[in-house]
Amino acid sequence: MKKLVWFAMAAVVLSIFNACQKSDELIDQSIDAQQQEAVKPDVYSENGYLVFKNIEAVDSIIQMLSKMTTLEIEAWEKSMNVISARSEFEQLFSEYENLSSYEEFLSFKSRNFEKLKFNNSDTEDNSINYPYATIHFLPVLNNKGLVKIGPSLIKYTKENQILVKNGDINALSNLQENIDNNNVIISTTLKSTTVDDFVVDNFPDYDPLGRQNEPWHMVSGVSKRRMINELVYENYRTYLGYYSNGYHYELGFYVYFQQRCHKKTWTGWNSYTTKYYFDDLKFKVGSDPTIKYDPYTHITSPDRKTGRVRLAKYYITTTLYGQNPTPPSLLDQRDLSLSVKTSCQGFDISRAYYIEYAEHSGFSSAPGNPWPSTSTPTYE
């Protein structure tokens, strides 16, 4: 009888031990799953768009892509399993380049009016561009204008930035309700896809041929090329999340020097791919020290449809308290100054010409602080 009791007790102890062991295994598995969920990469894809840990990860990837060839960018996008805004634009651009008459161009424009930007104010300008009201975020958008940064989903349209704070894509199909409960913020200050909305100056007084108020520059002896140079900025607003009883945001703006070149064909002036060039560049924001590049070391872009050099990023973080606070306003533009010698392939690089924009007192005679070696700007 004692043996039976001992065996029964041993069986109970063993079953309890096994149950505890299995419970521990389940707990361990649960912890592993939570850890794997917590330790996600800085960038991955979901639902067909890219997801970034934070705005710093976005900047890092955009800088990485700026140094890649087209084939390398295509390989990276394929590895991320997204159909990017870039890949859709390139496919349409290939079709655009093969058009053989003005009638075909009009048909192409009619078919792709929503997918592309056309210049409707100039009948001779038949160039095409992306249909999104952003400059900086273009390299990381999918073909629906979507990207997720931190907890929030961002959608760019032709006129707006739509920010969904909780990241739920379903909020885009029910905007008004989500605007009312402060889950969606629409930046209506972005008015159209034309870059003119962001232009600080397009240097009409520095045309090499001496034409007045002509931002599209030409040079003597080159009749089928023209180039526009633009000092541009772009505001952004990202939501960092709700913690410490407050709504946390980052507000900022990027400053760029941007070049676009056209060639003249049967339809008029058209976009094309070329190499862009600049040298002896000075730039500053407000009263900050002048940033000066080595005047003997020029920068030439890879083959690009637009040459774009990021010059600066300015931002602040802010916290709002209360149950449903009004989202913070975008940052105001600061005073900017720029001078550069510039040209592009097909536009006679040997005769780079000088342009300058001085919002305030201009540049100091001293070189000022050099651009940090860890963030030397490249064409994007």
Side-chain angles (χ1 to χ4, degrees), residues 222-266:
V222 181
S223 61
K224 293 188 176 181
R225 294 288 190 275
R226 69 178 190 177
M227 183 169 67
I228 195 168
N229 304 281
E230 295 159 324
L231 178 61
V232 300
Y233 74 99
E234 178 182 355
N235 278 307
Y236 73 92
R237 172 170 45 195
T238 58
Y239 177 62
L240 306 178
Y242 181 84
Y243 50 90
S244 300
N245 298 318
Y247 298 87
H248 296 257
Y249 293 86
E250 181 174 308
L251 311 166
F253 65 87
Y254 299 94
V255 184
Y256 287 90
F257 173 61
Q258 175 168 280
Q259 298 167 294
R260 290 179 288 151
C261 202
H262 282 176
K263 64 180 178 181
K264 196 164 191 179
T265 67
W266 45 266

Side-chain angles (χ1 to χ4, degrees), residues 178-225:
N178 281 274
I179 290 171
D180 292 341
N181 66 25
N182 204 21
N183 183 44
V184 165
I185 305 166
I186 299 181
S187 297
T188 54
T189 53
L190 306 178
K191 304 218 173 174
S192 78
T193 54
T194 164
V195 74
D196 291 340
D197 290 326
F198 305 114
V199 169
V200 178
D201 191 36
N202 57 19
F203 312 103
D205 300 327
Y206 288 84
D207 183 67
L209 295 184
R211 299 170 298 171
Q212 291 185 345
N213 299 319
E214 180 51 66
W216 285 99
H217 295 185
M218 300 178 71
V219 294
S220 180
V222 181
S223 61
K224 293 188 176 181
R225 294 288 190 275

Side-chain angles (χ1 to χ4, degrees), residues 87-100:
S87 63
E88 182 173 76
F89 181 78
E90 290 293 338
Q91 183 179 359
L92 291 168
F93 196 90
S94 295
E95 183 182 348
Y96 163 81
E97 283 194 306
N98 290 321
L99 300 174
S100 60

Side-chain angles (χ1 to χ4, degrees), residues 41-43 51-65 136-137 140 147-151 154 236 238-240 243 249-252 254 310 313-317 374-375 380:
D42 286 354
V43 56
V51 180
F52 292 89
K53 180 180 180 180
N54 48 38
I55 190 70
E56 289 77 19
V58 176
D59 286 344
S60 176
I61 292 297
I62 289 176
Q63 288 289 301
M64 178 194 77
L65 294 173
H136 178 70
F137 295 102
V140 295
V147 64
K148 189 174 182 181
I149 304 173
I154 296 173
Y236 73 92
T238 58
Y239 177 62
L240 306 178
Y243 50 90
Y249 293 86
E250 181 174 308
L251 311 166
Y254 299 94
R310 196 177 90 183
K313 174 187 176 182
Y314 277 68
Y315 71 94
I316 63 169
T317 57
T374 55
S375 59
E380 295 180 359

